[in-house]
Amino acid sequence: MNAHAIAQSGILRPIRRSRRPLAALIMVVALAAAAGCSLSGGGGDGDEPLVLVTHDSFALSEGVLDGFTAQTGVDVEVRNSGDAGRLASELVLTKGDPLGDVAFGIDNTFASRVIGQGVFEPYVSPAAQDGAQDYAVPGSDELTAVDYGDVCLNIDTGWFARHGIAAPSSIADLTRPEYKDLTVVENPATSSPGLAFLLATIVTQSGGTGQSEATAQADRPAQDGGWQDYWRALRDNGLKVVDGWTQAYTVEFSGSSGDGPRPIVVSYASSPPAEAGADGSAPPTRALAGSCFRQVEYAGVLSGTDRPEAARELVDFLLSPEVQQDLPGQMYVFPVQRGTPLPEVFAEYAAQPAHPLTMDPARIGTHRDAWIRQWRDIVLG
């Protein structure tokens, strides 16, 4: 089966990073120092590349960004900045003296950390009217949606068939005795998919099923509902917690190339396509559509850029057919623009829940830290 990897940005994708040779980097620093120049990303020299700041998991096919250069005459330099949480924190700390011109990779679980903080200039791409606006952060004009993905429970269907045990069909099922010692999840304090699954349990175990319920509860206090009891039961049923997706999926999960001991894992709706056979044969895993929590990734123009027009054009380009069609195969996410074709294996095997679990980003921002503290006290002690 195919292996696939992810940094903990929250969206499943192969990792591809570019690194300049050390000698070249030293030369750049030396030249800048000699000339008295700043190395900040928002410089106004039109001959310099436009800087796209993003998480470590950003990937587009070779040559896609060259299309932007062909259209505008502006080169693009990609600068990686850790996972989505770290990216959000660094953007806040450097507002006014930005790390670059455009940022991509802030998702809806961290959007409240940057909106209204002076990090982004108001700008929503006109192209968003073709689909991206359906995923906009309510009440904000600072971010443009670029892609989305769903964090879901994944199961090893072969394991359950071999052991003569019916596979679980919902989040609630995991506390049943027949699933003792079978589940591995990521820590929500250190992993974006772990946080998304915690939010999914808060929605489903607090009496709600989706966006309308979660939005209506935006002002409800952090200790609401029965999700804490759910996690106590899950803990007592042999739950295993690891720091991140890589260990959970590629080491602990029995359905991946790591052939681990546990047949239930928190992963993505797009994980099964990555496990399909090289000949396109069906994967040995599937995602439980009713467990899926939607994550949306956004791009925005960083405040303080000296090249706002080019920065806006780059945000527009991220919604172009060239980029949108490239996203599923490179980053295992869904494009936001309507009518964008999907790779055949992706269209056939990725779960596409009709009613994914969601929560208002404002509610997440208000309670995220308190929920994580409560989860830590319950599960880790």
Side-chain angles (χ1 to χ4, degrees):
M1 60 185 69
N2 297 329
H4 58 301
I6 186 174
Q8 291 176 40
S9 61
I11 302 291
L12 182 62
R13 55 186 71 100
I15 297 176
R16 186 179 68 182
R17 306 179 186 180
S18 60
R19 292 288 184 266
R20 295 180 176 181
L22 179 59
L25 180 58
I26 292 173
M27 180 64 73
V28 170
V29 174
L31 290 173
C37 298
S38 168
L39 289 176
S40 65
D45 189 342
D47 294 330
E48 293 181 355
L50 200 68
V51 176
L52 175 64
V53 185
T54 184
H55 48 58
D56 283 347
S57 299
F58 177 81
L60 291 175
S61 294
E62 203 70 36
V64 169
L65 286 176
D66 292 341
F68 177 78
T69 303
Q71 292 178 19
T72 64
V74 178
D75 291 327
V76 178
E77 177 185 341
V78 177
R79 291 186 186 173
N80 304 110
S81 189
D83 65 18
R86 179 180 173 184
L87 174 63
S89 297
E90 290 190 354
L91 292 178
V92 171
L93 289 172
T94 58
K95 63 182 180 181
D97 186 20
L99 298 172
D101 304 288
V102 175
F104 165 79
I106 297 295
D107 67 37
N108 51 313
T109 66
F110 288 103
S112 63
R113 186 173 290 180
V114 297
I115 290 174
Q117 299 298 312
V119 172
F120 291 101
E121 293 188 358
Y123 180 70
V124 174
S125 173
Q129 298 303 318
D130 293 330
Q133 199 62 18
D134 296 343
Y135 304 91
V137 177
S140 173
D141 61 356
E142 298 177 21
L143 296 171
T144 295
V146 174
D147 65 65
Y148 71 90
D150 296 319
V151 174
C152 315
L153 288 170
N154 276 228
I155 61 171
D156 178 355
T157 54
W159 188 98
F160 286 102
R162 290 191 301 272
H163 288 79
I165 300 173
S169 60
S170 69
I171 289 174
D173 285 347
L174 303 190
T175 61
R176 290 164 49 179
E178 58 264 43
Y179 304 124
K180 185 175 179 62
D181 298 328
L182 300 187
T183 302
V184 58
V185 304
E186 301 88 352
N187 186 329
T190 58
S191 166
S192 183
L195 175 57
F197 183 65
L198 172 59
L199 296 174
T201 66
I202 290 170
V203 174
T204 61
Q205 305 307 306
S206 298
T209 58
Q211 183 173 19
S212 59
E213 186 275 340
T215 303
Q217 298 184 57
D219 297 324
R220 189 177 289 187
Q223 58 267 31
D224 63 341
W227 67 268
Q228 299 95 333
D229 289 338
Y230 170 81
W231 280 98
R232 291 186 185 98
L234 197 56
R235 174 200 64 195
D236 294 343
N237 207 36
L239 174 72
K240 182 161 189 175
V241 178
V242 298
D243 283 342
W245 179 90
T246 300
Q247 183 179 354
Y249 193 89
T250 67
V251 177
E252 301 293 338
F253 182 46
S254 63
S256 73
S257 56
D259 196 26
R262 294 182 177 243
I264 306 171
V265 66
V266 171
S267 193
Y268 295 86
S270 53
S271 295
E275 301 297 346
D279 60 353
S281 57
T285 65
R286 65 180 173 90
L288 303 185
S291 70
C292 296
F293 185 91
R294 177 144 298 173
Q295 286 184 317
V296 181
E297 285 192 307
Y298 299 93
V301 176
L302 289 168
S303 295
T305 175
D306 290 333
R307 306 171 71 186
E309 182 176 351
R312 290 191 288 268
E313 289 178 328
L314 182 55
V315 173
D316 297 343
F317 185 73
L318 293 175
L319 295 184
S320 68
E322 301 96 306
V323 173
Q324 291 287 297
Q325 291 179 31
D326 196 50
L327 290 172
Q330 290 298 309
M331 295 200 280
Y332 282 85
V333 293
F334 287 90
V336 292
Q337 296 292 73
R338 288 186 290 269
T340 303
L342 298 174
E344 184 176 346
V345 68
F346 202 89
E348 185 170 1
Y349 298 125
Q352 300 186 51
H355 303 288
L357 303 170
T358 63
M359 186 181 291
D360 191 306
R363 186 180 183 216
I364 297 173
T366 298
H367 301 303
R368 178 180 53 240
D369 293 342
W371 282 334
I372 291 174
R373 285 194 301 270
Q374 291 177 59
W375 178 92
R376 185 186 294 116
D377 291 343
I378 292 167
V379 178
L380 303 182

